[in-house]
Amino acid sequence: QVQLVESGGGLVQAGGSLRLSCAVSGRSFGNYHMAWFRQAPGKERRFVTGINSSGGSTDYTDSVKGRFTISRDNAKNTVHLQMNSLKPEDTAVYYCAARFSARPVVFTSPLTYDLWGQGTQVTVSS
């Protein structure tokens, strides 16, 4: 059974940085597409960034381009989200998601991911 566990959230001032990690248990991590979504209070869960199973393809929502970087370490079954130049509007619960696929694309809809972590809170103060 595959499980996802996020870590690294917290409170940071605007302009600061945080690094989120998602540890994936189980086998065949290298066959999973990974993504980060976020959900602010009263809003729907939205795509932030994703990376395909090989790591050769990534995608970012426009509001985080140039500030956030997703990476994966298939040897350690871990995906990371480096968040720099954080803004108050980045405040949300961040969720790690996974889906089994070998396609060289990044899926951006939450409906296409069937494995989710419990979420980690990121709060950016102004």
Side-chain angles (χ1 to χ4, degrees):
Q1 185 177 359
V2 178
Q3 292 185 323
L4 284 63
V5 179
E6 301 101 333
S7 61
L11 173 64
V12 64
Q13 289 188 331
S17 298
L18 282 174
R19 188 185 193 217
L20 305 184
S21 296
C22 176
V24 182
S25 64
R27 298 176 296 176
S28 302
F29 173 73
N31 292 325
Y32 283 86
H33 284 226
M34 303 298 299
W36 290 94
F37 290 80
R38 64 187 179 187
Q39 188 167 17
K43 296 187 176 181
E44 62 184 12
R45 192 169 298 186
R46 294 183 176 178
F47 175 81
V48 177
T49 179
I51 187 168
N52 74 327
S53 55
S54 70
S57 296
T58 59
D59 195 10
Y60 297 87
T61 192
D62 286 346
S63 63
V64 308
K65 286 181 179 178
R67 300 189 297 122
F68 290 13
T69 303
I70 189 171
S71 61
R72 65 187 297 157
D73 185 339
N74 285 355
K76 297 183 178 180
N77 285 19
T78 304
V79 62
H80 301 288
L81 177 60
Q82 179 65 42
M83 304 186 295
N84 298 328
S85 302
L86 282 161
K87 303 175 181 180
E89 51 263 43
D90 294 318
T91 295
V93 177
Y94 283 70
Y95 295 91
C96 178
R99 65 161 286 166
F100 190 92
S101 177
R103 294 179 61 187
V105 296
V106 175
F107 302 96
T108 61
S109 169
L111 300 177
T112 62
Y113 290 85
D114 49 8
L115 298 169
W116 292 87
Q118 82 285 356
T120 185
Q121 177 70 46
V122 171
T123 303
V124 184
S125 63
S126 57

